[in-house]
Amino acid sequence: MSDLSQMTNNLPIYHAALAVLLAMLLSFGTVIAATPTPAESAVARAGQQKLSQDDYWLKLVHYKKKHPGYQSQADDTEFFNALNGKTSPEAELTATLQAFYQPGDSDDHPQCRFPARLYWLDRKLDLTALGLPAVHCNTLSKWRQTLSAEHATLVFPAAYLNSPSSMFGHTLLRLTPSDYRKSTPLAAYALNYAANADENDGGLAYSFKGLFGGYPGLFSIVPYYEKIKQYSDIESRDIWEYDLNLDQAEIDQLMRHAWEVRHINFDYYFLTENCSYHVLSLLEVARQGSQLTGDFSVKAIPSDTVRAVVDAGMADRAVYRPATTTLIRQHLDSLDPSAKELVEHLSTDTDPASEKRLGTVDNKVTRSRILELAYDYNRYQLLHRNGSATSASQSYRLLAERSRLPAGNVWPPVQQPAYQPEQGHRTTRLAVGGGSRNGDSFLSLRFRPAYHDILDPLAGYSRGSQINFLDFRARYTPTDNSLQLDRFTIIDILSLSPRDNFFKPVSWGIDTGIERMMTNSGRATGIQVGGSSGLSYRMGDQHLFYLLLRGRLKVAKAFQDNYSLGGGLSTGSLFFFKHSTAELSLTGVRFAAGESDTTLAARWRQSFPIGAQRAFRYRLEHRHERGNRINEFEAMLNWYF
């Protein structure tokens, strides 16, 4: 009883002690809840610095402004740590920081997947001091060690009209290792972005998907010699290599980001998010503060992007690498006709008479040139014409014969084009002018977003090549106060490749669009599709002659049976004068199906460059169409921007 009484008497003391204990526990718990984790501290510090809106963070995740906020151009969930990371820079930054603090030590850890983000955020937030766990990224380390990139080069293979994806040209990066391989450019690696197209797609499906993002675009790294073989040997494209002045820290960050995007899908758009655009996006990550992609939201023509890199001061010098065919042609120009004939014979047969003729060539340099050129041409034929075993054995005989002569270079220096691609005219063109049609005057307006036609200033472009894309022409006639669409060309490609004894390419052209056309009942607007194929020949250095078979389909309600289909012939010449380029053409087309007619046209056009970004052009034309004789003169001033 006494004990019970004592305990009862002590209850207030127990209550007080219990209250103190509970208070301490609650206080301790409060302290525990208020102490942020290292990841939370990093997120808080990033918020204080507003890193989610930092220009460099936006570039690392490829964000672009899109109303009402941002959207990444990456189209792959593997590129984001947050579910809404594609559209929320802040959510992606928070999720990325939290992911970096995840436990684990494997190549799949976010620290290994996003090394460029990790590098930049660590520098901004001192993540190591905030308890960032150490993760060993063995695969990444081996990858970087294998590449050992020390120097980057912007590579521009010239336009290739036979491939829709490269008709404007292409750009990629060459990564030169720091070790023994750096003295051999072909031992470097190529960092390339391209559409992963379906080989079974036809031309129409390919064009549609390429224009509207129907193909995934992927980055890849391959040996540089493979790209040289593709561009220089197989596709006969001259290459320009621009040495970039990135320092080692910038190269390292470029490689970290290349690792991040190496398997990531970016939907490929032929005109905007293409190879050249994403090369710029890589360079923006490599050099903080650079602004390269902003001017290419509407179109990214490779030559324009090269110009942007040069203008940004990121390129020191350009090196010209001629295509195999260019080099063979230059070497042929250094030989007389007899030696050229011997080259042709030696490269294709084992006739003892040819070898006997070679023995009569006393000059050892000339004989060496003949043998080397015969070998080069033999290899070209093997590559392009599925050469036989006989051709392969002939290659061996030519090399063996050459080895009996003194070693060393026997050729004059390679002739480099007078202008580099970025020194040519810009690809958007606006033209204004006027003229007369059978005595009625008119005013003309023309706009073309891309790219180049055969009379545009030639500097930096190839002779005889033309791609007009979305070319719009309108005409105002004061006599009847009418403003009308004269023509809207969707695409107009012309490739005049000269033939000779050694190379025999086919010249060709296609064009389609909407235009005002003559019918038996007057003028009407309709759709036209045309194609041509034929031959062209170089007549000296300043003259290119062509002869093309043509087909043309016109569709309009005003035609009998709603269409007019015909075929014919077109011949002409391009003249490359010192201060101008001109074309004389004669065309005859017989429309035999649908509404019939015979159209004959003679045209003279001439263009005079005024500096690099302007040109004056005039046209004289006489045409006989639907029983009408039409005489037309037009003069226009062109601006390129």
Side-chain angles (χ1 to χ4, degrees), residues 517-524 557-560 595 626:
M517 52 188 69
M518 295 288 293
T519 73
N520 290 336
S521 55
R523 291 177 67 83
K557 288 184 178 180
F559 284 129
Q560 179 184 344
E595 186 167 295
R626 311 286 170 183

Side-chain angles (χ1 to χ4, degrees), residues 81-156:
N81 291 294
L83 291 177
N84 59 341
K86 183 175 176 64
T87 56
S88 174
E90 185 175 6
E92 181 60 20
L93 178 61
T94 299
T96 298
L97 286 169
Q98 292 171 340
F100 286 163
Y101 283 88
Q102 289 177 3
D105 187 12
S106 69
D107 288 321
D108 294 333
H109 194 280
Q111 288 190 32
C112 301
R113 289 168 48 208
F114 301 103
R117 299 186 194 184
L118 176 65
Y119 176 79
W120 181 72
L121 288 170
D122 189 29
R123 290 171 62 87
K124 285 290 184 180
L125 302 173
D126 197 4
L127 299 180
T128 304
L130 291 176
L132 183 73
V135 178
H136 299 90
C137 304
N138 296 324
T139 303
L140 169 62
S141 298
K142 290 179 181 177
W143 181 80
R144 291 192 58 187
Q145 187 176 8
T146 299
L147 297 179
S148 187
E150 182 186 56
H151 187 79
T153 302
L154 177 65
V155 180
F156 173 70

Side-chain angles (χ1 to χ4, degrees), residues 150-341:
E150 182 186 56
H151 187 79
T153 302
L154 177 65
V155 180
F156 173 70
Y160 182 54
L161 299 184
N162 290 326
S163 172
S165 63
S166 293
M167 64 171 60
F168 297 129
H170 179 64
T171 56
L172 64 151
L173 293 176
R174 187 183 74 197
L175 305 170
T176 302
S178 60
D179 53 23
Y180 63 93
R181 296 170 291 180
K182 65 181 178 183
S183 60
T184 308
L186 294 183
Y189 291 91
L191 175 53
N192 188 54
Y193 173 81
N196 187 18
D198 188 338
E199 296 180 352
N200 297 319
D201 283 344
L204 186 60
Y206 184 90
S207 300
F208 184 83
K209 290 183 177 180
L211 284 171
F212 299 104
Y215 290 122
L218 296 173
F219 290 92
S220 62
I221 292 183
V222 298
Y224 187 55
Y225 68 82
E226 290 186 5
K227 307 307 291 184
I228 292 295
K229 180 179 180 182
Q230 174 187 349
Y231 299 136
S232 180
D233 298 344
I234 298 176
E235 299 178 353
S236 299
R237 302 164 67 177
D238 293 340
I239 296 173
W240 290 88
E241 300 168 333
Y242 297 81
D243 286 340
L244 301 178
N245 50 26
L246 301 178
D247 61 29
Q248 190 59 55
E250 292 169 331
I251 293 288
D252 290 343
Q253 184 67 343
L254 170 68
M255 298 311 296
R256 294 187 193 101
H257 191 59
W259 172 267
E260 291 178 343
V261 299
R262 72 196 192 288
H263 296 313
I264 300 300
N265 167 41
F266 291 74
D267 287 347
Y268 184 92
Y269 293 86
F270 177 60
L271 290 177
T272 53
E273 294 180 48
N274 55 23
C275 59
S276 296
Y277 179 89
H278 280 297
V279 165
L280 295 185
S281 71
L282 291 179
L283 295 179
E284 283 184 333
V285 170
R287 176 161 291 177
Q288 291 192 37
S290 59
Q291 303 292 339
L292 297 173
T293 60
D295 292 334
F296 298 100
S297 58
V298 176
K299 64 181 177 72
I301 303 299
S303 57
D304 288 338
T305 64
V306 171
R307 185 180 296 108
V309 173
V310 172
D311 290 346
M314 298 178 73
D316 285 338
R317 63 166 189 155
V319 175
Y320 174 64
R321 184 187 289 274
T324 298
T325 53
T326 302
L327 202 55
I328 291 176
R329 282 193 167 107
Q330 285 194 16
H331 289 170
L332 284 169
D333 288 342
S334 66
L335 300 180
D336 60 37
S338 174
K340 291 180 184 178
E341 183 182 359

Side-chain angles (χ1 to χ4, degrees), residues 312-378:
M314 298 178 73
D316 285 338
R317 63 166 189 155
V319 175
Y320 174 64
R321 184 187 289 274
T324 298
T325 53
T326 302
L327 202 55
I328 291 176
R329 282 193 167 107
Q330 285 194 16
H331 289 170
L332 284 169
D333 288 342
S334 66
L335 300 180
D336 60 37
S338 174
K340 291 180 184 178
E341 183 182 359
L342 197 49
V343 167
E344 185 179 3
H345 290 169
L346 285 172
S347 66
T348 55
D349 62 45
T350 58
D351 184 0
S354 299
E355 297 180 4
K356 187 176 180 180
R357 282 183 58 194
L358 178 66
T360 64
V361 179
D362 295 330
N363 188 298
K364 292 183 178 179
V365 171
T366 301
R367 196 189 308 173
S368 297
R369 288 180 175 181
I370 292 172
L371 287 167
E372 289 189 12
L373 200 47
Y375 172 79
D376 290 341
Y377 184 56
N378 175 275

